[in-house]
Amino acid sequence: MSGGIEIPVRVVEIEQATATVKRFRFAPVSGEPLPPFSSGAHVVVLMPAADRTIRNAYSLIDRAEDGSSYRIGVLRTPQSRGGSAFMHEQVTVGTELKITMPVNLFPLVHAGRKHLLIAGGIGITPIFAMAEELRRTDASYEIHYAMRNTSSGAFVDELRARHGDKLKLYRDDFQETLAVDAILPNQPLGAHLYVCGPAGMIEAILEGGREAGWPEENLHSERFQAPPTGEPFSVRLAKAGIACEVRGDQSLLEALEQAGVDAPFLCRGGACGQCEAAVIEADGELVHNDHYLTEADRASGAKIMLCVSRLKGRELVLDL
Amino acid sequence: MTIQFKQETFRDDFTFSNSPEAIRRFPFPFDKDEYMYAVNIEQHMPGPVKSPFEFPIDIDEHYVSEMRDRALVLKEDPLRCQSLPHMITAEWDLLELLMESMAKNYPEHFTLTRDGDRWHWINRPLGIDQAFTFGDVSTLPQPPMEYVTRQCQGDFALLDQRLDNLWMDAGMITTQADWSLDFDIGMNFMEWHAPVPLAHDMGIFERALKFLLNLQQGRPVRRLNWTMTVNPRLDTSPENYHKWGADRTTVTPENVGDKVHLRVELQALWRLPRSNAIVFSIRAYMIKMNELVTIPKWGRRLHRVLRDLKPELADYKGLTRYRADTVAYLAKHDDGAPTSPGFFPDPE
Ligand code: HEM
Ligand code: FES
């Protein structure tokens, strides 16, 4: 959804948790408490790089009881698109950033009978919050945390203090391997499994679950939704004779509104159909992110929903 | 602004009526002269001053009497309020949303003070003064959803989100238009909408569900729905059909203006922060035909909408028996003049 709420925050603490992981504590610039969130949620951090705004999603580790801060953990990745490098190199205590409202695409199934939390490496960040919620609500759970070596376990001490022997560690340097067929047997009916970590690990765990006969709906993995942005392109309104640029971090609808066009909308989320526009020409590929158009509409290439969809290409000409 | 709360009834002698101000602020649901289902969802942004959209939660002159009616319904039938055990966090989220909103926008009537998890709530119209610990059920006289919704106008359903669907796992439903929480509890979005005609084939529920699964914290949405009710009865539940079903046969050309009510539901949806659940509020507003026609645009428009309504919708909404009498009454208030676009009355 475009035009979400952004919250200005200030970095008030940075902890070098391991050689490659830093933990950041954000405080609200306004002093208004940061909203509570449900465990498994993430925020998108907006980083003002020299040439563009970088947007990366990071799971929330925790929130101070009084809403005075959030924590996130950031792994420095070698193949970083700039986000983790920015966080590790440019951000210092006092840096001001913006974050979005929390969004949860990896929620606990509250009706579940038991919860198996499985984390690899930096995948521990959402799992950390989920484990805390399960502890607080006296639910039944286990944490399985795999890491390269003891010194790369960014959260071991805090986890051990809170969860005692519900926490099982798997350290490569101790030849301990997390084997899904050792975890899954003897779990009660109605148990749910949650995994977050490197892509290969997620696949292996989910596959193991399926082989063990677990229903698909009891297997959960973190999936980050790409922030609702794309590449910039130009748009021209044939009837109104207006042309403007759509920035990468802006929706087509927002760009038209900025250009003074009073375009119709209701939901701004691709469902209601109000913002449908007829395409006259598209120099590129239409990227349909809505739930409104039918397959046939899409195939025709003649319609686009202004609030969420865009062009991957140079110029779009609309019958407006 | 201090609201003058009315003493009135929604049963037995039916003394409910709207003041002239309440008529002018009525959420008339038709923006054109015809009606069909659509995904009519929009952002729940603050609307015009004094309108029912001015604040996220609308409290009006019927507040005290509606709360008394709710208490009567619950006394006879406690199953109108139900919550599955995993919804307790959502219940606290709801309590926070309602108390915060009521205290912020109606400070003469409600006050909330928070010191960490020690909260203090004052509800002056209902004479309630309650200190409690947020998150500790034992410090309130009822569970949090029941406690706060006995003090807030509108029905509320709490939806748990899992398996890419929404599940009706809790609610306080005492002012419903012929559906039952006790029947729907535990059902998902598609299941509880199954009885609705035409909309499934139009793809309305599929789109609405996909939209709602992405609903974001801090970005509530709303929609209007409508039906009609004979006598100003809030509790038109299937459980009590034996009490009100026969009312539909009592409409005559002489009493239409007083007996037949347009009933509009202002429905709003919020993503709740701690639970990731969604709350669906259903706030019912009623207006008598003879109150409605005091706004000439509304009289003309409702006549045309009702006259041309598809029979499937009229049947589903239960209007069929008294539709002709109501259309005939409204016809006298429709001179055929064009109506302006939009919901609001024309300036005088
Ligand atoms: C998630 C929150 C929602 C809940 C809890 C809910 C619940 C209900 C219920 C209980 C009914 C009555 C069904 C019956 O006859 O038993 C109903 C009717 C209906 N709902 Fe929803 N609904 C929700 C959201 C929506 C949304 C977002 C739409 C958007 C289009 C929608 C459209 C309708 C329509 C068109 C009807 C028929 C109403 C009439 O003709 O009077 N609902 N809903
Ligand atoms: S505004 Fe609703 S689909 Fe675009």
Side-chain angles (χ1 to χ4, degrees), chain B residues 186-244:
Chain B
M187 284 191 187
N188 69 36
F189 191 86
M190 292 301 175
E191 290 169 345
W192 78 63
H193 277 124
V196 180
L198 305 177
H200 291 270
D201 289 340
M202 295 166 69
I204 285 183
F205 293 122
E206 205 179 314
R207 287 174 190 143
L209 175 60
K210 282 188 184 153
F211 178 87
L212 293 181
L213 293 175
N214 286 321
L215 186 67
Q216 287 182 19
Q217 206 171 317
R219 306 245 299 168
V221 298
R222 67 171 173 247
R223 63 183 292 267
L224 292 175
N225 186 44
W226 69 279
T227 185
M228 298 187 90
T229 304
V230 176
N231 295 331
R233 191 190 292 276
L234 282 173
D235 174 21
T236 47
S237 57
E239 286 90 340
N240 276 337
Y241 186 79
H242 58 284
K243 294 190 187 155
W244 59 270

Side-chain angles (χ1 to χ4, degrees), chain A residues 253 264-275 292 305-308:
Chain A
L253 180 60
F265 69 86
L266 267 182
C267 69
R268 297 181 90 93
C272 73
Q274 281 295 310
C275 67
Y292 185 79
M305 307 311 294
L306 301 177
C307 62
V308 291

Side-chain angles (χ1 to χ4, degrees), chain A residues 187-267:
Chain A
Q187 296 296 347
L189 217 62
H192 285 257
L193 176 155
Y194 310 82
V195 55
C196 185
M201 169 187 180
I202 293 181
E203 267 327 300
I205 299 282
L206 294 180
E207 195 45 45
R210 288 182 203 112
E211 273 167 23
W214 279 49
E216 200 63 45
E217 57 263 32
N218 292 42
L219 301 171
H220 313 275
S221 59
E222 169 74 296
R223 52 187 170 106
F224 281 121
Q225 202 177 39
T229 56
E231 291 154 34
F233 59 96
S234 316
V235 57
R236 186 156 59 78
L237 307 186
K239 286 193 196 127
I242 293 175
C244 68
E245 292 297 309
V246 184
R247 294 193 315 264
D249 62 355
Q250 184 176 50
S251 70
L252 186 44
L253 180 60
E254 287 166 339
L256 294 181
E257 287 171 341
Q258 204 179 357
V261 178
D262 190 13
F265 69 86
L266 267 182
C267 69

Side-chain angles (χ1 to χ4, degrees), chain B residues 28-42:
Chain B
F28 189 72
F30 306 110
D31 63 344
K32 41 183 188 303
D33 289 352
E34 57 188 13
Y35 176 79
M36 187 49 197
Y37 292 146
V39 186
N40 55 336
I41 304 176
E42 63 184 309

